[in-house]
Amino acid sequence: MFAFFSRRLVQAVLVMLVISVIAFSIQDNLGDPLRELVGQSVSEAERQSLRNQMGLNDPFFVQYWRFFKKALLGDLGTSYFFKRPALDVILDKLPATLELVFGTTLIVILFSVPIGVFAAIYPKQWFLRLVMGMSIIGISIPVFLTAIMSIYIFSVELGWLPSFGRGETVELYGWTVGFLTRDGLMHLILPCTALSSIMLPLFIRLIRAEMMEVLESEYIRFAWAKGLTRRRIWFLHALKNTLLPVITVGGLQIGTLIAFTILTETVFQWPGMGFLFLEAVNRVDTPLIVAYLIVVGLIFVIANTIVDLIYGLVNPTVRLARSHPEGE
Amino acid sequence: MALLEVRNLDVTFASWGGNLVALRDVSFSLEPGERLGIVGESGAGKSVAAFAILNLISRPGYISGGEILFEGQDLTQLSPQEMRSIRGNRISMIFQDPMMTLNPVLTVGVQMTEVLHAHREISAEEARSRALQTLTRVHISSPEKRFDQYPHELSGGMRQRVVIATALLTESSLIIADEPTTALDVTIQAEIMDLLLELCELNNVGLILITHDLSVISQVSQHAIVMYAGRVVEAGPIWEIVNNAQHPYTQGLIGALPQQTTPGKRLNQIRGVMPSLSNIPEGCAFNPRCQLVMEVCRTSVPTYTNIGSTRVACHAAGSAQTGNPLSLEHNKT
Ligand SMILES: Nc1ncnc2c1ncn2[C@@H]1O[C@H](COP(=O)(O)OP(=O)(O)O)[C@@H](O)[C@H]1O
Ligand code: SF4
Ligand SMILES: [Mg+2]
């Protein structure tokens, strides 16, 4: 367990290093920070001296090393627009985005597991076949379309659900959370549903396919031959094996999920990191962009490490990878 | 009363291009504590026959005719609930590949005790001690340690011992073993087979032993049936079948045994292959491979003839032509 964990930790650090290099080199390619700072009216000579002063003419690695040392201390520069530390600006918006991601994850898990499992057990049942058919359509409709359509139907036409912002939030251990108030919850429904519309069909289909394969396996046949109850065979013997590959895919999809928060937050005017990021891109607020990439990278690495740990707990062959089968 | 009596069993696989008949008119019976061998090349229908007894044929297969009387009760007529109370409780199975039989994510202990919990009211401690006891009976060292291990931590032979122990946990009166040693290392095959036989004998458990190796059956069972393309082509006491085979297919299997071959010569394999279900030849299914084939063999399915205490499905059965034509033919080369 310890070996597994430390190996994962080394990997995580390496991934973060790569992300930081990428994030940093993006800085150079995103317009001229001076123009943002001083405007058009400054003479070329003045610009050059300012560049030298800011170290913008130093070699790449010198600049990166400077950036890296500061980043380790949590200093990712100052946002040109907000005139505040970029990391602080980002972290202010973190709870909103995490709430969106968790809500979506919850929806995906709560729906995909039972639907996928039952669709595998009863492949001929009409309702489940309908759901499977709809999931194909679901996969092919872009998120922004789902989002706009759901806003049109549930906010504009029916007036049931709010379509923008977080609604009423409360303070909880320094975090602003929305899911504790009724209004906050109502505001979560549409964005979370829209965001889960890409993941849900994917996971339903994945779980169904895996479960069907597992149900055909010899060990499931043996479980039937032992006279176990259907419940035990389906929900213990088969489900546990089905979830192994699903957990792995789940880890990989976290990246996609975070990427799609940018879009979802924009459509729903959700005051999260993704929305902020898009604004930062428009304003060429480079420190903010870099800070966003680093924070998102960190979330991704942490989430994947957790997923790997869960996988290790479910799959005995990972946990005990170092012990070998013993002879007769 | 016979322990098991299978009468005129038909099994069909429903498929798009029409129904495929996997078993046709299969009959055999077994007395309590008796050992019966089922022999035949791969694809003969041995496994389908075995799974049909427990009504566990893989989809889209189903029993399309016949009766399976177990202790006088027709298993084909039971409700799913009643069938469940037979499986693993009165009739146990041992599968071919112990690597695939045990669930990779559950411990040995869980997979053993769950059988007890499925069939009787029993406390966790009692189930555990029963399982440990049975593990000792199949000669597994340090059973307490094995109990908490996962299948991948055990060798193939040890896994098959666990499967055998699982079959012995309840008081099954019949064990169906489908090629129980085929997937194992050759060095331990005999050991596992001996263990299985010894335990069945000790507990007076009936055993149906499925194998494609006639020599194994000749050493362990009392009666045998030979299957080809979903039919029983010869059935009788093992001594008769090995020493006085009537059916050309059985003779071919005997001729192909390594001990029948002169050292240095090629094995006398029967030429040709087992047909697939979708193109079983008309008449006698064996006719394209048979040395004694006659005109009638291509058009009409042979009925059973009793010769001594064996039952044979061959148009040439009982006539002077039978002998050991295949091995004679091949020995010339
Ligand atoms: N699920 C299935 N669907 C279609 N055909 C099958 C299925 N299972 C077995 N068969 C066919 O039934 C025949 C007998 O198979 P089997 O009983 O496994 O042979 P064996 O004697 O080697 O155990 C084979 O031709 C096989 O292809
Ligand atoms: S019936 Fe004819 S083809 Fe079939 S085994 Fe007998 S002799 Fe050969
Ligand atoms: Mg088989």
Side-chain angles (χ1 to χ4, degrees):
Chain A
M1 198 65 181
F2 177 73
F4 177 68
F5 195 77
S6 44
R7 198 168 51 233
R8 248 353 240 104
L9 207 67
V10 172
Q11 277 172 17
V13 169
L14 282 176
V15 171
M16 279 319 293
L17 272 179
V18 172
I19 291 177
S20 73
V21 171
I22 293 173
F24 177 74
S25 38
I26 284 174
Q27 274 188 322
D28 272 353
N29 302 312
L30 273 184
D32 186 354
L34 263 85
R35 204 185 60 210
E36 304 301 318
L37 279 176
V38 298
Q40 305 273 329
S41 59
V42 183
S43 78
E44 186 55 39
E46 272 178 284
R47 279 169 187 272
Q48 269 315 326
S49 75
L50 208 54
R51 286 186 152 275
N52 280 331
Q53 222 178 331
M54 290 174 68
L56 291 176
N57 289 334
D58 291 344
F60 179 83
F61 277 106
V62 175
Q63 291 194 48
Y64 174 72
W65 181 239
R66 198 155 49 218
F67 165 82
F68 181 77
K69 276 190 299 191
K70 282 188 181 172
L72 272 188
L73 299 170
D75 178 4
L76 293 173
T78 304
S79 162
Y80 300 147
F81 181 80
F82 293 97
K83 315 282 188 231
R84 283 176 54 211
L87 192 62
D88 290 357
V89 177
I90 291 285
L91 289 184
D92 277 351
K93 305 287 185 182
L94 182 66
T97 298
L98 283 187
E99 202 164 279
L100 200 58
V101 169
F102 278 127
T104 304
T105 311
L106 205 65
I107 290 178
V108 171
I109 292 174
L110 285 184
F111 284 90
S112 69
V113 175
I115 294 177
V117 164
F118 279 103
I121 294 174
Y122 302 109
K124 297 213 168 93
Q125 214 266 343
W126 69 268
F127 176 72
L128 292 165
R129 283 173 95 159
L130 189 75
V131 173
M132 294 320 291
M134 275 169 29
S135 75
I136 297 189
I137 302 173
I139 284 181
S140 36
I141 298 179
V143 182
F144 74 91
L145 210 62
T146 322
I148 290 171
M149 280 191 1
S150 60
I151 289 178
Y152 179 74
I153 297 173
F154 295 102
S155 301
V156 180
E157 287 296 315
L158 298 170
W160 290 351
L161 294 165
S163 66
F164 68 87
R166 291 182 79 186
E168 195 184 333
T169 56
V170 290
E171 230 13 73
L172 189 76
Y173 305 114
W175 285 56
T176 50
V177 295
F179 65 89
L180 288 179
T181 67
R182 199 188 118 81
D183 186 50
L185 271 179
M186 296 292 274
H187 278 82
L188 267 167
I189 294 177
L190 280 186
C192 286
T193 314
L195 193 51
S196 53
S197 70
I198 23 160
M199 301 287 161
L200 196 54
L202 179 84
F203 277 92
I204 288 177
R205 301 195 73 79
L206 177 70
I207 290 172
R208 185 181 98 115
E210 288 296 335
M211 182 84 174
M212 285 181 96
E213 202 179 311
V214 168
L215 286 178
E216 294 293 312
S217 68
E218 284 292 290
Y219 55 82
I220 293 299
R221 210 184 210 196
F222 188 61
W224 287 112
K226 290 198 291 189
L228 306 182
T229 59
R230 298 191 307 183
R231 252 201 20 233
R232 192 169 173 92
I233 294 173
W234 288 338
F235 303 120
L236 180 73
H237 282 251
L239 187 58
K240 217 172 168 192
N241 283 283
T242 299
L243 289 184
L244 283 180
V246 176
I247 292 173
T248 309
V249 175
L252 295 173
Q253 289 297 323
I254 290 171
T256 316
L257 189 63
I258 293 173
F260 273 100
T261 56
I262 300 177
L263 196 103
T264 315
E265 288 181 4
T266 307
V267 175
F268 290 95
Q269 299 285 299
W270 189 263
M273 296 192 306
F275 192 29
L276 182 76
F277 173 72
L278 220 59
E279 285 180 326
V281 171
N282 278 330
R283 297 175 185 137
V284 203
D285 195 341
T286 322
L288 210 49
I289 294 173
V290 171
Y292 174 82
L293 292 178
I294 301 266
V295 168
V296 160
L298 202 60
I299 293 174
F300 181 73
V301 166
I302 291 172
N304 266 291
T305 309
I306 293 173
V307 166
D308 278 4
L309 283 174
I310 295 174
Y311 186 86
L313 287 178
V314 180
N315 188 351
T317 55
V318 169
R319 189 160 23 143
L320 298 154
R322 279 177 312 153
S323 71
H324 294 288
E326 290 166 51
E328 283 291 297
Chain B
M1 182 174 53
L3 174 65
L4 181 78
E5 194 172 351
V6 175
R7 287 189 193 152
N8 313 105
L9 182 66
D10 294 336
V11 168
T12 304
F13 284 101
S15 86
W16 290 107
N19 288 344
L20 299 173
V21 179
L23 291 188
R24 172 72 91 194
D25 202 17
V26 169
S27 300
F28 57 86
S29 73
L30 191 73
E31 296 302 316
E34 195 196 321
R35 297 190 294 270
L36 171 80
I38 302 183
V39 217
E41 291 164 301
S42 177
K46 308 181 298 290
S47 297
V48 171
F51 286 111
I53 296 171
L54 284 179
N55 203 353
L56 280 178
I57 311 164
S58 53
R59 272 185 296 196
Y62 65 100
I63 294 173
S64 47
E67 295 174 330
I68 300 167
L69 302 174
F70 175 68
E71 294 173 341
Q73 192 179 26
D74 188 356
L75 299 185
T76 63
Q77 302 301 319
L78 296 188
S79 70
Q81 234 353 279
E82 293 167 320
M83 197 65 223
R84 187 178 82 72
S85 69
I86 301 267
R87 293 177 186 147
N89 190 25
R90 310 290 302 123
I91 303 177
S92 293
M93 268 193 90
I94 296 169
F95 288 13
Q96 178 170 345
D97 191 347
M99 300 288 194
M100 321 278 274
T101 313
L102 295 173
N103 193 323
V105 300
L106 299 173
T107 61
V108 166
V110 167
Q111 297 190 60
M112 288 185 74
T113 51
E114 66 183 356
V115 184
L116 288 168
H117 291 300
H119 296 296
R120 57 209 60 183
E121 294 295 322
I122 186 171
S123 71
E125 302 92 76
E126 208 177 325
R128 184 188 148 90
S129 80
R130 285 282 298 276
L132 291 176
Q133 236 174 331
T134 320
L135 283 175
T136 316
R137 282 168 69 201
V138 297
H139 309 309
I140 281 188
S141 54
S142 45
E144 273 98 358
K145 183 174 150 211
R146 303 300 176 205
F147 188 88
D148 292 318
Q149 282 182 322
Y150 288 92
H152 74 273
E153 297 171 77
L154 309 181
S155 67
M158 217 181 300
R159 264 179 261 199
Q160 200 63 311
R161 285 173 201 269
V162 169
V163 174
I164 294 173
T166 310
L168 293 169
L169 269 178
T170 52
E171 282 92 43
S172 285
S173 51
L174 175 61
I175 290 180
I176 303 169
D178 188 359
E179 312 215 20
T181 59
T182 310
L184 299 181
D185 199 279
V186 267
T187 54
I188 55 163
Q189 285 186 355
E191 200 180 319
I192 297 288
M193 190 60 80
D194 288 345
L195 175 75
L196 181 61
L197 293 174
E198 178 198 316
L199 290 168
C200 284
E201 188 137 15
L202 200 68
N203 300 292
N204 197 35
V205 175
L207 175 69
I208 294 180
L209 182 67
I210 294 174
T211 170
H212 58 259
D213 187 352
L214 197 63
S215 62
V216 171
I217 285 205
S218 67
Q219 289 159 30
V220 303
S221 75
Q222 292 134 3
H223 285 84
I225 62 175
V226 181
M227 289 188 67
Y228 189 82
R231 284 174 188 268
V232 177
V233 294
E234 183 159 4
I238 189 68
W239 193 88
E240 289 284 326
I241 288 186
V242 172
N243 294 297
N244 192 15
Q246 298 296 321
H247 197 282
Y249 179 59
T250 317
Q251 293 165 356
L253 289 178
I254 293 170
L257 291 176
Q259 47 271 54
Q260 293 282 317
T261 313
T262 334
K265 290 270 169 65
R266 246 169 16 97
L267 290 184
N268 301 317
Q269 296 300 338
I270 313 172
R271 66 195 165 90
V273 290
M274 175 81 62
S276 70
L277 293 188
S278 50
N279 53 39
I280 292 180
E282 263 194 57
C284 170
F286 189 58
N287 82 64
R289 304 173 71 184
C290 183
Q291 303 281 318
L292 302 176
V293 60
M294 299 172 290
E295 207 45 55
V296 61
C297 305
R298 297 206 169 88
T299 51
S300 95
V301 179
T303 51
Y304 289 107
T305 319
N306 287 314
I307 297 173
S309 42
T310 59
R311 198 161 53 97
V312 194
C314 172
H315 289 301
S319 69
Q321 282 158 307
T322 51
N324 215 339
L326 290 162
S327 38
L328 281 179
E329 215 267 336
H330 281 276
N331 285 345
K332 278 189 276 182
T333 55

